[in-house]
Amino acid sequence: GDEAGDIRAMLNIDSVGVGTSLYVYAGAVITWPPGDAEPEIESVQLLYRIASEPTLNLDIVSPDDYAVQGGSLEVETFVDFLSGFVPLGIELTYSWEVVLSDGTVVTTADETTYWMDNRFEWETLTSDQVRLYVYDTDDDFAEMMLEESQATIDALESTYGLDSIPPLSIWVYPSYDDFRGTLQGNARE
């Protein structure tokens, strides 16, 4: 209860993020005031939610991937979303959880990022409910894809009496070879 609140106030948690690439690097730096005793760390975990799924995923960080040094806990770990068949372009909501040896659990606030294929320089086009990501694509063609995607959503809402379809992200690869690089072996295309 109150003790956990005091610990949270004592520790300055700075989540430095989840790297966005085909292989995901995640890191955080957690510091405490100078002169305070360093808390003994029992475990460090990365909690994440994929898009708007209700399931919260857990990645337990190996003790080899974090260290207490000079008043801070530094975390550098690797999360393999590709082998978990998590598609690229997905929004990730994540937080860090640190369990101290006395059982106190310290959790960062939720943060959001996208797991993106950074092999290419993506251009983003948006409408009311569509985010279209393209590269090496004719501007007129990309604009037509955006307009047709939004028109399809509008038609679905009207035809079926839907309140509102949540925003949709569409990633367009101009070649199969580029797209194939995002798939786990034996994945359905």
Side-chain angles (χ1 to χ4, degrees), residues 133-152:
Y133 296 90
V134 297
Y135 66 94
D136 293 340
T137 302
D138 177 73
D139 291 343
D140 291 336
F141 181 68
E143 190 62 39
M144 185 271 305
M145 285 190 292
L146 179 66
E147 290 171 6
E148 289 298 318
S149 299
Q150 183 62 55
T152 300

Side-chain angles (χ1 to χ4, degrees), residues 10-173:
M10 182 183 81
L11 297 178
N12 174 26
I13 301 174
D14 176 26
S15 182
V16 294
V18 176
T20 52
S21 66
L22 288 176
Y23 299 97
V24 177
Y25 156 82
V29 176
I30 302 170
T31 58
W32 44 90
D36 284 6
E38 294 181 350
E40 191 173 321
I41 308 299
E42 183 70 28
S43 66
V44 177
Q45 301 162 139
L46 175 63
L47 304 169
Y48 61 93
R49 184 177 324 281
I50 299 167
S52 58
E53 290 182 0
T55 304
L56 189 61
N57 300 280
L58 169 69
D59 187 68
I60 299 172
V61 178
S62 165
D64 294 336
D65 292 343
Y66 64 86
V68 176
Q69 296 178 357
S72 68
L73 167 67
E74 297 184 13
V75 183
E76 291 187 2
T77 191
F78 170 80
V79 184
D80 186 0
F81 289 133
L82 199 56
S83 69
F85 298 98
V86 176
L88 287 165
I90 292 293
E91 183 178 81
L92 299 171
T93 303
Y94 67 96
S95 63
W96 293 94
E97 185 175 270
V98 179
V99 179
L100 304 178
S101 61
D102 67 0
T104 301
V105 177
V106 181
T107 304
T108 66
D110 284 349
E111 296 188 44
T112 302
T113 191
Y114 281 90
W115 185 36
M116 297 177 66
D117 183 349
N118 66 1
R119 297 175 298 162
F120 310 103
E121 290 190 33
W122 296 94
E123 179 184 346
T124 306
L125 289 85
T126 60
S127 66
D128 291 340
Q129 294 163 287
V130 177
R131 268 177 276 157
L132 184 71
Y133 296 90
V134 297
Y135 66 94
D136 293 340
T137 302
D138 177 73
D139 291 343
D140 291 336
F141 181 68
E143 190 62 39
M144 185 271 305
M145 285 190 292
L146 179 66
E147 290 171 6
E148 289 298 318
S149 299
Q150 183 62 55
T152 300
I153 289 175
D154 294 342
L156 288 169
E157 289 174 342
S158 175
T159 301
Y160 296 104
L162 302 173
D163 290 335
S164 179
I165 293 176
L168 180 65
S169 293
I170 301 172
W171 298 78
V172 179
Y173 286 85

